[in-house]
Amino acid sequence: MTRVLLVDDQDLVRQGLRLILDLAGIDVVGEARDGAQAVVAVADLDPDVVLMDLRMPGMDGVEATRLITGSGARARVLALTTFDVDEHVVGVLRAGAVGYLLKDVTADDLVAAVRRAAAGEPVVAPAVLARMMANFADRPPANAAVLPGLGDLSEREREVLALIGAGRSNAEIADTLVISMATVKTHVRHIFAKLDLRDRAQAVVAARDAGLS
Amino acid sequence: MTRVLLVDDQDLVRQGLRLILDLAGIDVVGEARDGAQAVVAVADLDPDVVLMDLRMPGMDGVEATRLITGSGARARVLALTTFDVDEHVVGVLRAGAVGYLLKDVTADDLVAAVRRAAAGEPVVAPAVLARMMANFADRPPANAAVLPGLGDLSEREREVLALIGAGRSNAEIADTLVISMATVKTHVRHIFAKLDLRDRAQAVVAARDAGLS
DNA sequence: CTCGGGATCAGCCCGTGGGCTGAGGCCAGG
DNA sequence: CCTGGCCTCAGCCCACGGGCTGATCCCGAG
């Protein structure tokens, strides 16, 4: 079962969260009212997820997150705050948080987010996500330069390589690309020749090094 | 009720999606097998959400998305594709899509994503989100390191897996570990069984995800 | 002592992977 | 117009990969 630590300086907020999570069958194993208490509690209780408020008296949530993630603890830190400010988002993500929620989330969404965080998946509030997407889409195609020598591959070959990198068989690749397996094999052979690879295992390495998949 | 248009060139995929969405009480009001059909269908049916494959013969999903969002249609376009490639993500987001899903989503997550999209909320697959977050925070994903259950592997098996992850053949592994190839094969078979892998390509993925290699 | 798991190895079988040849269609550029 | 690259496909061949069975040895736990 998912075990959660609540960190917030307001008693009422913690009580509310505890009710919501309890109702969903999530186990709230502890509470803390500031960053310092949170760090101790994590070492003590080894929770799966830490629901971390950012603005708190004493040690704030960003600093606490840094200490927790830096300590090698298993816990995923999920920021839960009132303020939708990029400064906070960037700060706490840099500190190692796996997500950033706003306190206007519905109970259902909060529960889902905690479960995702427990599974190691990233989670962010829609409003924040929208800005991240805009930011992501705005950026220049800078990553093309960073990726090593896949430039000599054709578009189709890169697609095939990406699927190889995902662990797919030739038959599966043929299926998803809606082409025959003979064609897939041809692409594969060309990829190997161009990138100087011996077999698909090495191709997986190349694909992942290149940022495909 | 949420009204959805499916766009994919593979009949089987559309059928599967229709089943999943039907079951969740989402109304699939139409289907299209390429971008051109999609554009017409949107004008015709005025759906809430368009589930858009990207790679299709003829007009692709990115171009179709551009035309749809540019036409002033009410529909939210949600990209649903096999390829987790930044180039595609950026392309379709610039074209006006509200989200980017990968075809490895669970049925539940797909349904939730469609509902979010219908409400105008952005949605992206966890793997893509992780990169967006890293890009946003301008730093490596820190503690997001999800080291999955290699704990059940024996010491020797982990060594073999690491070598597989480096792209070595069974013969090479036998050579470097100074054991016979039969033994290597046995270890490999056990690794596959324990980690539920199908072939060494998937093993490479697992090894590198786990931080070996 | 016995049982079970890990490491080691052998032999058999066969499916997939990958090399090689050849070939047709499409499109951009010389 | 023709050359060359890319995408498409077919058929042939065989080595490696991987499943399966069965066996020996060592070890620690019960």
Side-chain angles (χ1 to χ4, degrees):
Chain A
M1 197 206 283
T2 310
R3 302 173 64 254
V4 175
L5 172 70
L6 302 181
V7 186
D8 198 301
D9 59 324
Q10 294 181 63
D11 296 348
L12 198 65
V13 172
R14 290 201 313 278
Q15 286 171 27
L17 292 174
R18 183 181 275 275
L19 277 177
I20 290 171
L21 297 176
D22 270 352
L23 223 63
I26 292 177
D27 193 12
V28 177
V29 295
E31 302 186 4
R33 41 172 38 101
D34 64 34
Q37 285 185 15
V39 174
V40 175
V42 167
D44 225 32
L45 303 168
D46 188 36
D48 300 307
V49 175
V50 181
L51 267 183
M52 177 76 76
D53 190 24
L54 294 190
R55 280 194 83 81
M56 289 178 296
M59 184 190 298
D60 72 3
V62 175
E63 183 58 22
T65 300
R66 196 187 326 279
L67 291 177
I68 290 168
T69 62
S71 75
R74 202 172 45 82
R76 324 278 186 184
V77 178
L78 199 44
L80 176 60
T81 175
T82 309
F83 304 99
D84 181 5
V85 182
D86 282 351
E87 198 181 329
H88 289 176
V89 176
V90 170
V92 77
L93 289 185
R94 280 193 180 149
V98 299
Y100 193 98
L101 297 179
L102 297 175
K103 284 188 178 166
D104 63 1
V105 287
T106 62
D108 284 350
D109 285 348
L110 175 65
V111 169
V114 169
R115 295 229 164 87
R116 284 180 187 283
E121 289 185 7
V123 190
V124 301
V128 179
L129 175 57
R131 289 204 304 287
M132 283 187 180
M133 286 171 65
N135 183 66
F136 194 70
D138 269 354
R139 76 185 188 166
N143 79 334
V146 189
L147 306 185
L150 270 51
D152 17 320
L153 293 185
S154 74
E155 180 57 31
R156 200 55 156 170
E157 285 162 354
R158 271 200 300 279
E159 289 178 354
V160 171
L161 180 56
L163 289 171
I164 291 177
R168 309 295 192 81
S169 71
N170 286 341
E172 288 171 335
I173 294 172
D175 202 51
T176 71
L177 295 185
V178 202
I179 55 181
S180 87
M181 200 165 98
T183 306
V184 175
K185 284 183 157 194
T186 303
H187 287 315
V188 170
R189 200 155 35 78
H190 290 163
I191 292 169
F192 288 179
K194 287 182 178 177
L195 300 186
D196 191 31
L197 305 171
R198 199 184 346 125
D199 51 44
R200 67 180 36 241
Q202 293 191 348
V204 172
V205 175
R208 294 177 87 82
D209 283 348
L212 292 177
S213 83
Chain B
M1 198 207 280
T2 309
R3 302 172 65 253
V4 175
L5 171 71
L6 303 181
V7 186
D8 198 301
D9 57 326
Q10 296 182 68
D11 297 347
L12 200 66
V13 172
R14 291 200 312 277
Q15 286 171 26
L17 292 175
R18 182 180 276 274
L19 278 176
I20 291 171
L21 297 176
D22 271 352
L23 224 63
I26 293 176
D27 192 12
V28 177
V29 295
E31 301 187 4
R33 56 181 81 231
D34 65 34
Q37 286 184 14
V39 174
V40 175
V42 167
D44 225 32
L45 304 166
D46 189 35
D48 300 307
V49 176
V50 180
L51 267 183
M52 176 77 75
D53 189 25
L54 293 190
R55 164 136 220 115
M56 290 177 295
M59 185 191 297
D60 72 3
V62 175
E63 183 58 22
T65 300
R66 197 187 326 278
L67 291 177
I68 290 169
T69 62
S71 74
R74 202 172 45 81
R76 322 280 186 179
V77 177
L78 199 45
L80 176 60
T81 174
T82 308
F83 301 101
D84 180 4
V85 182
D86 283 352
E87 200 181 327
H88 290 174
V89 178
V90 171
V92 76
L93 289 185
R94 280 190 182 155
V98 299
Y100 192 97
L101 297 179
L102 297 175
K103 284 187 177 167
D104 63 2
V105 288
T106 63
D108 284 350
D109 284 348
L110 176 65
V111 169
V114 168
R115 293 230 164 87
R116 283 180 188 285
E121 288 186 7
V123 190
V124 300
V128 178
L129 175 56
R131 289 205 305 286
M132 283 186 179
M133 285 169 64
N135 184 65
F136 194 70
D138 187 30
R139 54 104 228 206
N143 140 314
V146 188
L147 304 192
L150 269 52
D152 17 321
L153 293 185
S154 74
E155 184 56 32
R156 202 55 158 169
E157 286 163 352
R158 271 199 298 278
E159 289 178 359
V160 172
L161 180 55
L163 289 171
I164 292 177
R168 308 295 192 80
S169 71
N170 285 341
E172 288 171 334
I173 294 173
D175 202 51
T176 68
L177 294 184
V178 201
I179 55 182
S180 87
M181 200 164 95
T183 306
V184 175
K185 284 184 160 193
T186 302
H187 288 314
V188 169
R189 200 154 36 80
H190 290 163
I191 292 168
F192 288 179
K194 286 183 179 178
L195 301 186
D196 192 30
L197 305 171
R198 198 183 347 123
D199 51 45
R200 68 203 295 102
Q202 293 191 346
V204 173
V205 175
R208 294 176 87 82
D209 282 349
L212 292 177
S213 84

